[in-house]
Amino acid sequence: MTQLFHRGRRLRRTPELRALVRETPPLLREDLIMPYFVVETDDVSFRKPIPSMPGQFQLSLAQLEEQVARAVDTGLTSVLLFGLPATKDPMARAAYAENGIVQQAVRCLKKRCPNLVVITDVCLCEYMSHGHCGILSPDGQVKNDETLPLLAMTAVSHAQAGADMVAPSDMMDGRVAAIREALDEKGFRQTPVLSYAVKYASSFYGPFRDAAESAPAKGDRKSYQMDPGNAREALIEAVADIEEGADAIIVKPAGPYGDILRTVRDTVDVPVFAYQVSGEYTMIRAAGLNGWINEDAVMMESLLGLKRAGAGGIITYFAEALLKKDLVR
Ligand code: PBG
């Protein structure tokens, strides 16, 4: 009898056959980057749960050191650091202070875990009294070119502290060029810039703004972050940042922007990372904690989806848990 239809089930019959023909390689521990929130405080035991991100904490320097060292013992290879300064002002001075909290954290972690890849988020919103990512003019506009030197100083201060990579997330135009030039001038030619080139103005960042205490006091970030309706613009942003000197780029958020990740991956040749952001984490966590979904399975599937869409590395708040539960190789 002639075969009249496709028998896709032939190759799905056993786990071994399915593994043999699987297109996407399994997640590796070195694919994962774990974000941390470090707080400038004298209270060494400070460890505050973030209510909208169950399982995540704001940590003192000492707590961060211990938690990261334990994660490294389970196989963590990279971290991304966010700082919560003791004081904020309209020029974000604590962002580029030599002894700022991120700068301290970098020194501490590089000393404790020399092989750990320490990446720093370069942005001003956590350090600005008004919570915007740049200098604010009296009429409420975020000033672009005036902000660039502050971002460059911040990146240089992170490199001076020993950061392995700096990751600008502010979305000011021209900041990669400004940061690259400043790094080179100060002798940090070997410090890569991992640019959040494709960053959307997303409501999925909500829990993060609780975690980093960085919500804008007034207005939103729509005049500098990308409009969620735009896909072609992602390529313009990616190419612009690469031309300015970005060594690798980030697409953010990740899951709801899988189409963007795929298009960017197919268009540029630098490494492309996906950032599974706070809201994506929290939705999976919350449903899991309620017993509504199989959390581990959904978490793995969400990350597989990002790899399938073309992500090289993945920044995810699940990184520590994945390693602890032995879910990656
Ligand atoms: C700083 C920054 C944000 C995130 C990373 N860097 C917040 C924002 O742009 O408002 C979001 C990360 C997350 O939601 O997990 N600008």
Side-chain angles (χ1 to χ4, degrees), residues 305-329:
L306 301 182
K307 250 197 133 161
R308 194 185 57 236
I314 302 176
I315 304 165
T316 173
Y317 301 94
F318 286 121
E320 249 195 31
L322 274 159
L323 292 163
K324 207 183 283 167
K325 294 177 182 177
D326 230 353
L327 290 169
V328 278
R329 302 194 183 176

Side-chain angles (χ1 to χ4, degrees), residues 121 123 169 199 205 208-209 221 225 252 277-278 317:
D121 186 86
C123 196
S169 70
K199 177 171 175 180
Y205 307 151
F208 172 94
R209 292 179 190 168
R221 305 208 199 289
Q225 299 179 349
K252 172 184 177 196
V277 300
S278 56
Y317 301 94

Side-chain angles (χ1 to χ4, degrees), residues 23-311:
E23 298 170 35
T24 308
L27 207 60
L28 304 174
R29 62 192 182 91
E30 55 266 35
D31 292 334
L32 302 171
I33 302 167
M34 177 73 197
Y36 289 98
F37 301 99
V38 57
V39 180
E40 188 170 11
T41 171
D42 294 333
D43 177 3
V44 289
S45 63
F46 187 89
R47 184 181 170 77
K48 190 176 166 205
I50 300 161
S52 55
M53 297 180 75
Q56 304 299 314
F57 296 82
Q58 293 177 343
L59 302 166
S60 70
L61 195 55
Q63 292 286 324
L64 173 80
E65 182 181 354
E66 290 318 310
Q67 187 162 331
V68 170
R70 277 197 303 276
V72 167
D73 286 340
T74 66
L76 184 69
T77 59
S78 310
V79 299
L80 173 63
L81 299 180
F82 294 95
L84 283 84
T87 54
K88 304 190 189 216
D89 64 66
M91 289 299 278
R93 281 174 227 284
Y96 39 90
E98 194 190 329
N99 220 16
I101 185 59
V102 165
Q103 292 80 353
Q104 289 184 50
V106 171
R107 278 186 224 111
C108 164
L109 292 181
K110 288 306 291 183
K111 191 166 168 207
R112 177 79 179 257
C113 312
N115 298 327
L116 180 70
V117 177
V118 176
I119 308 168
T120 55
D121 186 86
V122 174
C123 196
L124 305 175
C125 56
E126 297 109 289
Y127 305 88
M128 287 287 198
S129 38
H130 48 67
H132 277 287
C133 302
I135 297 172
L136 212 54
S137 68
D139 64 355
Q141 299 293 313
V142 173
K143 297 192 195 177
N144 192 88
D145 297 23
E146 292 82 344
T147 300
L148 301 181
L150 305 192
L151 292 164
M153 283 199 292
T154 304
V156 167
S157 73
H158 292 175
Q160 273 161 348
D164 293 295
M165 279 205 219
V166 291
S169 70
D170 53 282
M171 288 298 277
M172 295 302 117
D173 294 324
R175 92 270 207 213
V176 173
I179 288 171
R180 184 71 268 160
E181 194 185 330
L183 287 172
D184 289 353
E185 203 174 285
K186 299 282 180 194
F188 296 102
R189 286 190 191 84
Q190 291 297 332
T191 305
V193 177
L194 168 61
S195 169
Y196 290 75
V198 181
K199 177 171 175 180
Y200 286 89
S202 172
S203 299
F204 283 92
Y205 307 151
F208 172 94
R209 292 179 190 168
D210 295 339
E213 297 175 9
S214 65
K218 251 198 241 140
D220 52 41
R221 305 208 199 289
K222 290 179 184 165
S223 78
Y224 40 105
Q225 299 179 349
M226 289 173 61
D227 188 297
N230 292 353
R232 289 191 298 268
E233 192 191 359
L235 300 180
I236 299 177
E237 286 288 354
V239 169
D241 280 16
I242 294 165
E243 280 174 357
E244 286 179 36
D247 299 279
I249 61 172
I250 300 174
V251 173
K252 172 184 177 196
Y257 295 80
D259 58 327
I260 307 296
L261 197 52
R262 169 48 61 200
T263 315
V264 169
R265 174 64 292 164
D266 290 343
T267 308
V268 305
D269 290 321
V270 301
V272 177
F273 293 74
Y275 195 146
Q276 182 178 55
V277 300
S278 56
E280 299 177 74
Y281 166 85
T282 288
M283 290 193 304
I284 296 174
R285 238 359 233 140
L289 287 169
N290 274 296
W292 295 337
I293 57 170
N294 176 340
E295 185 182 333
D296 284 355
V298 171
M299 161 177 78
M300 291 305 285
E301 193 175 326
S302 71
L303 298 170
L304 177 70
L306 301 182
K307 250 197 133 161
R308 194 185 57 236

